[in-house]
Each structure stands twice: as C-alpha cells, then as structure tokens.
Amino acid sequence: MKILIIGGGGREHAIAWKLSQSAKVHEIYCAPGNAGTALENKCKNIDITNYDELINFAVEEKIDITIVGPEVPLIDGIVDRFKERGLKIFGPSKAAAKLEGSKAFSKEFMKKYGVRTAEYEVFYNPKEAAEYLFRASYPIVIKADGAAAGKGVVIANNFEEAKKCIESFMIEDVFKGSGKKIIIEEFLDGVEASILAVTDGNVIVPFLSSKDHKRIYDKDKGPNTGGMGAICPNPYCTEEVLKEFKENILKPTLRGFKEEKMDYIGIVFFGVMICKKGVYLLEYNVRMGDPETQAVLPLMETDFTHVILEALNKNLSELKIKWKNKYSCCVVAASKGYPEEYKTGFNIGNINKIRGKVFTAGAVFKDGEIKTSGGRVLSVVSLEDNPSRAREVAYGDLEKIEFENIYYRKDIGN
Ligand code: AMP
Ligand code: GLY
C-alpha cells in the first residue's frame, strides 16, 4: 500500500514510523512531514499543504489510504472532500469533527447522550455571562467555543479574573470569532488522562491510557503548552477507573454516534478528569494526541495499518489490539521561550547516539544539517520493563541530545 500522512509534528513522525514497520506498507508520503519523517524507512516528504493539491496528489499517486494527523484539516472537512473524489481517508467527517471544533456542540452532545461531564452553561452575550459569573462560586472554568490554539480555556479564581477573561474572549475578540460564544463550566478537581481510541462508527476500541504533561514548567507550573511529555500507560487509570470510563463515557458516546448517524471512522481522543466523585469527560478530540501518540504507538504490538484497515472496512468488532507489556516515557525537548517567543535555526546533534527513539517536530533539514525550526523540537521516547527505568532511559538520552537553547521538563512521569 501507499500511504499519505497529513501533518508535520512529532505525532505524524510517530505514525509514519509505526506504519513503516508494516509488511503491508510499501511507500509513505508525509505532507509536509519534518526532518525525522524524511529519514524514516519507506518515507518521503512532500511539500504540499493545500487541500486541492493534496487531493490531486492522492489521485495521481494512487494513494491507498490517507491519514490526517492534526485537527484543523478535519474540522475544515478534508475527509468529506477526499471521499467525494473516491479516495480512502482515515478520519471523521466535517459534521463529526465538530465534536472538537465546537465546545458548545460537544457539551450538548454529551448532555443529550448522558456522557458524564462537568455542569455548564453557554453564553453569547458578555453582559449575561458577567451576571452569571458575579453569582458563581470559584474557581470556575471559562472556555472559548471554537479553536483557540490551546489558549481558549481559563480557570478563573475570582470574579475579577473571570471578568477579564470575558472582556478578552467576547469583547476584544482575541480569538477572532472563536470566543464570541463561551462555555462556563464547573471546575473539576482531579488528575487528567488521555484515552485514545479507534472507531468505525459501530464500536469504539480504546488504546492503552496515557498521561500528558501540559504545563511548561516542572510540577505543572506556568502556561499551558501543546504538551511537554507523556507516559503510557497512565498509572491513575486503574481497572476501576477504566470500567467507569467505559460505562459512563465510552458507551453513551457510541450510542450518540449511532443515533446521530455520525460518519466517523478514525480516532476518538477522550480527555478525562479522574475525580474523587468519579471519572468525567473534559473534551473530545477527533485525532491522536501530541505527544500522547509518541508514547502510545511504540507499545502497540498489533500492526497499526491493520487497525486502520479494519476501521475503514467497518470491521472493528472483530479486532483485538495487542499491547506490549512495557512502559513508555516520552519527554519533549523544546526551544527555550516556548510557548511564547523563541529562537530557531540551531543545529541538532547526537540524534543517532541514543538508546530509545527520537521523534522530531520543529526540526528541518537545511544545508546538510538538522536544525531547530519550532517550539517543540523533538521528543525522546523510551520503552522499558518498568516506569522508573523508562524515565531513566529517556532522561539519559536527552542529556546526549544537543542544541542551543534546549529546554525540557525534568519531572515527566514522576
Ligand atoms: P480542554 O481544552 O477542554 O481540554 O481544556 C484544557 C485544559 O483545561 C484541560 O486539559 C484541563 O487541564 C483544564 N480544564 C478544562 N476543563 C476543566 C474543568 N471543568 N475543570 C478543571 N480543569 C479543566
Ligand atoms: N496533548 C494534547 C493534545 O494533543 O491535544
């Protein structure tokens, strides 16, 4: 088979690496990919991001399956457009991708089908939102409805903070439309888990659980990032937690998919909060997580190509995914300054000298060297017999990696 992967982050590198191990796969194109995907077995980068050009490429090259990494093309409806041209693509339709594209839509869906989630209200008017917030108890969570590059959620500790947030989201319109509509939500106290799963619309098969580390600094301090590291499995996802997740989140979600006749073949990412009072769904994402994917896929024993094919053939009820009895630790190395201002263009050294695996993100080939080109530059992933050894190996590897202004958290998986 010939595969096309859309995207260019660490997640897409991990997907390309995993699929390249399949005997079924002959060639992989990454659009646009990055320095690491270009080096992977069977892989080639192509410099295309425009949807029409991607469709033409898939037709001309007789691509068997296209896999979409990031949410934006999914929310834009790329899957519907590929299908109109008779192309096979792994991902939800535009209508289903609204589960990530609009928080109000996804909360409504959760409420309608009894998926356990925080209490909430939707507001379109800043004055009404402010009146509600004046009487509310704190902390409280305020969310922009639409895409906001990871900056659309504020946990307000008092009315002053809440008012400031309303002003910036709804009046100053900092997210250019995405924050005109907001959700005000009950604050949930607990630990988070990322549960990726695959669906064919008839069943949802969960992967091993994982844990992201979203804040920039150790001990979960500082601003949110795309994710600074991940471990798999998530130690908080006990049998009991997973049982509750299946009953109160997964099953009602599937019922919703069926009743709404959602055209959804792809990944469902459940962002959950494990609280004393139970397991709650914070959000759906309609794609794989980054960096979660880098931690989860190395543990998958079953051929990932086979998993995707079974989903596309609506045959997932027959599938049992096998997992390695190991533990992974993925630590992201970023450019100092991320998620705000940072410098790029520095040579990256010693990528070949490590024991685990390197997945690159903000890294490009230039003048015969691999250079930094983004905030999250690369991640180092280890796979070991126990979690503490996995951490030790990942950090041992990171010490060998060299680039100017390297920054990483020291406490991933602690
Ligand atoms: P979201 O984009 O909905 O995942 O929110 C981003 C982050 O905000 C989550 O990963 C949580 O850390 C936090 N968060 C979101 N909703 C809540 C909530 N209801 N209670 C507490 N924290 C939340
Ligand atoms: N790491 C969280 C996400 O991919 O949304």
Side-chain angles (χ1 to χ4, degrees), residues 11 71 100 194 196 212-214 225-230 269 283 285 287-293 376:
R11 164 182 51 209
E71 63 276 18
E100 177 162 359
S194 303
L196 311 184
D212 190 8
H213 297 66
K214 285 201 170 92
T225 69
M228 294 303 292
F269 167 154
E283 61 166 353
N285 294 316
R287 35 90 194 163
M288 298 183 83
D290 192 346
E292 288 92 332
T293 302
R376 290 190 292 177

Side-chain angles (χ1 to χ4, degrees), residues 103 118 141 143 153 155 185-189 192 214 224 273 282-283:
K103 289 193 191 290
V141 185
K143 300 184 175 184
V153 177
I155 296 170
E185 186 173 288
E186 166 200 8
F187 174 80
L188 296 172
D189 194 10
E192 283 179 69
K214 285 201 170 92
N224 262 333
M273 186 75 96
L282 290 179
E283 61 166 353

Side-chain angles (χ1 to χ4, degrees), residues 108 178 189-190 192 207 239 243 247 267 296 327 357 399 407 413:
E108 235 164 76
S178 281
D189 194 10
E192 283 179 69
F207 293 174
E239 286 288 320
K243 202 169 142 229
E247 268 326 296
I267 298 291
V296 174
Y327 297 81
K357 174 76 191 163
E399 274 170 27
Y407 167 79

